[in-house]
Amino acid sequence: MEAKAVFGGSPCLSSSLPRLPAQRTCSLSYTHKPILRAILHDLHLAAFHSKSHLFSYSPSRPHAKTLSHKTRIFLPHLVASMEQVEETYIMVKPDGVQRGLVGEIISRFEKKGFKLTGLKLFQCPKELAEEHYKDLKTKSFFPKLIEYITSGPVVCMAWEGVGVVSSARKLIGSTDPLQANPGTIRGDLAVQTGRNVIHGSDSPENGKREIALWFKEGELCQWTPAQAPWLRE
């Protein structure tokens, strides 16, 4: 019995194999062979093809109609397309502004590859600070926190990207700078919880809520960075 391995419709290997005992043999009817060739062709996903071949269908393969899908999909591209672009609110607190750390903090997010969509220097009123930190209203340190946030200008930023919320939290580091890892913003630039330089949204939902709270309509800019194709598939 002669067996041939077929990829992309052309034989690449041929060898003679001994016939197996009758009790272990199985037969493949002629009508099944086109379906088998179609399955083998679709399993060969052309991993290094250009993105233009992400979705394609060849009319020269009518037997493909016997399958449930007419598309050829490179799986990593499919996974990347399913990733959710998020938004997060990042704020350089008054101590970060006073210490001249704004540029360094912005550069860390830029180097990571996230997109800046909103930026402003802003003096926060008490009412806005209380609304922003309303979940901490019952805490004993709440009055001192509000006094701190309103003590000087803050820098408000809106950032966008895949997984930006969790990634930004890693860039920022632990709430207590003494527990933050070296290389994080707080680990490198702060020493005390009450002066920890920066705020970042803790969930995608809070990211949207806080951006809407700190930015007015028309203050965000939607644009496409020239380096975008080098950051994401």
Side-chain angles (χ1 to χ4, degrees):
M1 181 175 65
E2 187 177 86
K4 293 183 178 180
V6 181
F7 294 94
S10 59
C12 63
L13 176 65
S14 177
S15 62
S16 296
L17 300 175
R19 184 177 299 278
L20 297 175
Q23 65 271 22
R24 292 187 178 181
T25 59
C26 60
S27 62
L28 181 65
S29 69
Y30 177 79
T31 58
H32 292 154
K33 292 180 180 178
I35 298 177
L36 178 59
R37 286 198 299 270
I39 293 173
L40 289 173
H41 185 89
D42 286 342
L43 287 175
H44 186 219
L45 297 174
F48 299 102
H49 284 190
S50 65
K51 291 182 183 180
S52 62
H53 295 129
L54 180 59
F55 298 102
S56 63
Y57 170 65
S58 174
S60 64
R61 293 170 51 237
H63 56 265
K65 293 180 181 179
T66 61
L67 300 177
S68 59
H69 298 288
K70 295 182 180 180
T71 58
R72 293 169 56 207
I73 303 173
F74 178 36
L75 294 182
H77 289 320
L78 176 61
V79 172
S81 68
M82 295 172 64
E83 293 179 309
Q84 183 66 40
V85 174
E86 300 171 347
E87 297 174 296
T88 191
Y89 174 69
I90 302 297
M91 178 173 63
V92 182
K93 296 177 179 179
D95 54 319
V97 175
Q98 294 287 351
R99 293 176 55 199
L101 301 175
V102 175
E104 180 169 349
I105 290 172
I106 291 176
S107 72
R108 295 203 182 197
F109 287 89
E110 288 180 324
K111 289 174 182 177
K112 180 67 176 178
F114 295 130
K115 181 171 72 174
L116 181 65
T117 58
L119 174 67
K120 66 180 180 181
L121 183 69
F122 183 66
Q123 180 66 53
C124 176
K126 183 179 179 180
E127 295 76 14
L128 178 57
E130 290 176 342
E131 177 63 22
H132 177 81
Y133 288 110
K134 63 181 182 181
D135 292 341
L136 302 175
K137 197 168 186 177
T138 59
K139 302 294 184 180
S140 60
F141 58 81
F142 183 76
K144 193 173 181 179
L145 174 61
I146 299 304
E147 181 182 356
Y148 160 54
I149 292 298
T150 58
S151 63
V154 298
V155 170
C156 310
M157 294 182 283
W159 291 89
E160 182 181 289
V162 173
V164 69
V165 173
S166 61
S167 187
R169 300 284 288 183
K170 292 176 183 177
L171 285 173
I172 291 170
S174 301
T175 301
D176 182 354
L178 295 180
Q179 301 298 321
N181 292 327
T184 63
I185 293 172
R186 287 173 176 160
D188 289 349
L189 305 176
V191 295
Q192 190 181 42
T193 302
R195 296 290 185 269
N196 62 8
V197 177
I198 187 172
H199 162 84
S201 303
D202 59 6
S203 69
E205 294 74 24
N206 272 341
K208 292 181 179 180
R209 183 187 76 85
E210 292 172 356
I211 288 174
L213 191 63
W214 289 85
F215 287 93
K216 297 178 182 178
E217 185 177 355
E219 288 185 332
L220 299 180
C221 180
Q222 296 302 326
W223 59 292
T224 302
Q227 63 176 344
W230 303 105
L231 293 169
R232 293 182 60 204
E233 291 184 295

